[in-house]
Amino acid sequence: MLDVLQLKHRVNRMPLERVRDMVDELLLEGIVTESRTPFNRQHFNTCFAEIEALLQRAGYHRQLDVVGYQGLAYALFDPARWEAVEVLHWLRDFVELKQQQSCH
């Protein structure tokens, strides 16, 4: 398991190409799920400031926030375009849909 400093270092050194699609989605939709990012829950919990800085270097200069749903899904979103409650409802629906699809 990586320690916090190693995790932050990796985010700080991440090539901008790895986050370009994520930046595009944030600019268009204002929201992106963790499954469409190179980040996971540990990243969001320990080095969110480094993720924000990386996205700024990649061209995303708007506000950014993160919300998780029961540890099952996370999303980065623009709080000027989305309310956190809206994102939570959206994530709940996203998780439930994935669970239903896996049962069939």
Side-chain angles (χ1 to χ4, degrees):
M1 183 173 181
L2 295 174
D3 72 19
V4 172
L5 293 177
Q6 289 172 314
L7 202 59
K8 289 181 178 200
H9 179 75
R10 284 190 177 179
V11 171
N12 285 328
R13 300 283 184 227
M14 187 175 288
L16 298 181
E17 295 77 36
R18 291 208 47 212
V19 296
R20 295 259 189 238
D21 289 341
M22 187 173 97
V23 167
D24 291 343
E25 194 163 338
L26 282 167
L27 290 170
L28 289 173
E29 303 295 330
I31 190 169
V32 65
T33 60
E34 80 176 288
S35 62
R36 298 187 45 86
T37 76
F39 309 113
N40 60 34
R41 177 174 50 178
Q42 187 178 17
H43 287 105
F44 296 134
N45 290 336
T46 59
C47 49
F48 188 69
E50 288 78 6
I51 292 171
E52 284 183 303
L54 174 65
L55 294 178
Q56 287 179 358
R57 290 192 304 273
Y60 186 80
H61 300 287
R62 298 179 184 172
Q63 286 184 299
L64 192 63
D65 206 348
V66 65
V67 70
Y69 177 72
Q70 296 182 347
L72 300 173
Y74 287 80
L76 292 165
F77 68 98
D78 178 348
R81 294 173 66 184
W82 293 84
E83 295 288 328
V85 172
E86 290 177 301
V87 177
L88 279 172
H89 288 139
W90 185 83
L91 279 174
R92 180 198 62 209
D93 295 344
F94 177 78
V95 167
E96 288 175 1
L97 180 63
K98 285 180 77 172
Q99 288 173 341
Q100 288 173 0
Q101 289 174 344
S102 67
C103 289
H104 291 95

